[in-house]
Amino acid sequence: MASASAPNSSQPLALVTGASSGIGFHLARCCAESGFDLLIAADLPEVHQAAQELSRLGTHVRSVQVNLDTRRGVDDLLAAAEGRPIEALLANAGQGLGQGFLDQDFDDVRKVIDTNIIGTLYLLQKVAREMRTRGQGRILITGSIAGFLPGAFQAVYNGSKAFIDSFSWALRNELKDTGVSVTCLMPGPTDTNFFARAGLLDTEIGQGKKDDPADVARTGFDAMMAGEGDVVAGLKNKLQVAMAGVTPSSVLAEQHRKMAEPGSAKHH
Ligand SMILES: NC(=O)c1ccc[n+]([C@@H]2O[C@H](COP(=O)([O-])OP(=O)(O)OC[C@H]3O[C@@H](n4cnc5c(N)ncnc54)[C@H](OP(=O)(O)O)[C@@H]3O)[C@@H](O)[C@H]2O)c1
């Protein structure tokens, strides 16, 4: 645990999960550039390298290597804040899982649900309770446009993001008069390690055009600071979400099959 904790720092503290790479790393960068101290987490040692890179931006950075699909991991992360109030929580850690549901290992299925939903909710409940007591705080939750699409050949992941997209709005409403804002960032396909980790590289979506994680993070960070309810990153993704709202689920599932079925990359 590389610690640059600064209990006496006057800067607000932002907690960013899944900050070792991709969207989370760039969200942490946005926080640092806006004067936040950082507490960042991920489950591999690379999180400490990310911390060193972020600390070059001149802010205090503490990194914790924990598994956020367990309550113990979340408790260890929160302990690393050493009682400092968390002014901004960016609950971003998540992972995908390709292949047909019947061909997936159920331990992998649980890991997606425990990371994307259980661990995320446990962290949110702990931090948001303290924010509500203080009467202030900002929360950004990374959902996905996948939450609007029946995810044939990534069914569990898309289902987990449908949960998170819906949950974010409900929590936002519950906290509307408390001084705590909740924003849901819904990216489309973004150029990160996500597709390799999910085993989707031999698919059309895995090989297809993707957004820049730095742009996606900036969109999310600005929406959080503006206290917006949700933000879909990118015009093409906004159109896809709008279309999903008026397209039969059977058609959406068939479209997703074409994008995510193993080997679909070959056909194009
Ligand atoms: N990329 C896309 O197309 C896309 C689109 C929509 C939404 N999203 C969402 O964006 C978020 C960030 O993903 P990304 O695209 O930036 O992918 P990424 O580069 O793979 O980043 C995922 C981050 O989450 C961390 N993480 C995953 N499982 C964890 C666990 N159990 N415990 C602790 N840390 C964990 C990873 O840490 P380690 O590397 O150390 O495991 C990494 O820092 C996710 O919620 C994802 O669902 C991504």
Side-chain angles (χ1 to χ4, degrees):
M1 184 183 294
S3 68
S5 65
N8 304 321
S9 168
S10 59
Q11 297 198 160
L13 179 64
L15 193 169
V16 186
T17 70
S20 60
S21 64
I23 296 168
F25 176 79
H26 291 286
L27 284 171
R29 172 189 286 276
C30 291
C31 291
E33 289 167 351
S34 297
F36 284 91
D37 284 345
L38 287 172
L39 176 57
I40 64 171
D43 57 345
L44 297 175
E46 284 77 3
V47 69
H48 303 311
Q49 283 145 295
Q52 276 157 12
E53 201 175 326
L54 291 162
S55 61
R56 291 194 203 108
L57 297 165
T59 192
H60 297 287
V61 186
R62 181 164 191 171
S63 50
V64 187
Q65 185 187 349
V66 281
N67 227 326
L68 294 173
D69 62 358
T70 64
R71 288 197 197 192
R72 170 66 189 280
V74 172
D75 288 338
D76 289 349
L77 171 57
L78 293 175
E82 296 179 329
R84 282 185 70 181
I86 295 165
E87 302 290 350
L89 169 62
L90 295 83
N92 166 80
Q95 49 185 272
L97 184 63
Q99 307 291 320
F101 174 63
L102 301 187
D103 303 319
Q104 292 170 340
D105 180 307
F106 201 77
D107 290 340
D108 297 337
V109 168
R110 274 300 302 270
K111 185 127 178 118
V112 170
I113 295 170
D114 289 345
T115 302
N116 297 7
I117 300 179
I118 306 297
T120 300
L121 263 60
Y122 183 64
L123 175 66
L124 283 165
Q125 195 180 54
K126 291 239 164 185
V127 175
R129 277 178 177 160
E130 293 189 8
M131 287 178 169
R132 181 179 61 179
T133 304
R134 289 198 311 274
Q136 66 176 46
R138 299 177 187 281
I139 296 173
L140 182 74
I141 307 171
T142 305
S144 177
I145 68 167
F148 296 90
L149 310 171
F153 293 93
Q154 201 181 205
V156 174
Y157 173 74
N158 285 36
S160 76
K161 290 299 180 177
F163 181 105
I164 289 294
D165 292 351
S166 164
F167 175 84
S168 302
W169 269 106
L171 184 62
R172 176 181 171 82
N173 181 275
E174 289 179 12
L175 296 177
K176 73 178 181 177
D177 302 322
T178 66
V180 182
S181 71
V182 179
T183 305
C184 185
L185 168 61
M186 295 182 280
T190 305
D191 192 10
T192 70
N193 300 337
F194 177 88
F195 299 92
R197 286 189 72 145
L200 286 165
L201 289 181
D202 68 340
T203 68
E204 181 187 316
I205 194 169
Q207 294 300 324
K209 193 173 174 317
K210 298 182 184 70
D211 296 326
D212 180 333
D215 297 341
V216 171
R218 174 51 61 186
T219 300
F221 180 80
D222 291 349
M224 176 188 78
M225 296 307 283
E228 290 168 18
D230 68 4
V231 61
V232 174
L235 180 59
K236 181 171 168 288
N237 299 321
K238 285 181 176 50
L239 292 173
Q240 191 172 0
V241 168
M243 283 304 297
V246 294
T247 306
S249 295
S250 57
V251 175
L252 292 172
E254 185 57 30
Q255 289 171 346
H256 200 278
R257 179 190 190 104
K258 290 194 172 69
M259 292 192 298
E261 187 171 15
S264 56
K266 282 197 290 297
H267 303 328
H268 300 276

